[in-house]
Amino acid sequence: MRVIAKSTLRTFWEKHNDSEVPLKTWHKIVEKANWKNSHDIKAIFTDASIIGNNRVVFNIKGNNYRLIVYIVFKMQKVFIRFVGTHKEYDRIDAKTI
């Protein structure tokens, strides 16, 4: 999968240093993945939430942070839509962001 854009993750971990290693680990795993559907995601990330509208929520650093991505399986692309704290996550609509 191609992750667009890692810079969004980098900007976040520069503000939240404890998220750097978990986000880099997530990124590395996803770049090596060849997901065809949501079942492939759940096989690797069992606590990921498939929320519809091609969006998936990942728990980062023991659920301290949330990462929302938009996935286009046919193109093998994962678009970063949101990364933030739970408080920030609670203020957004994960299905439309």
Side-chain angles (χ1 to χ4, degrees), residues 6-20:
K6 186 177 181 181
S7 62
T8 303
L9 300 178
R10 186 178 303 111
T11 298
F12 185 79
W13 77 53
E14 286 173 354
K15 293 178 185 174
H16 303 274
N17 294 335
D18 60 337
S19 70
E20 182 174 1

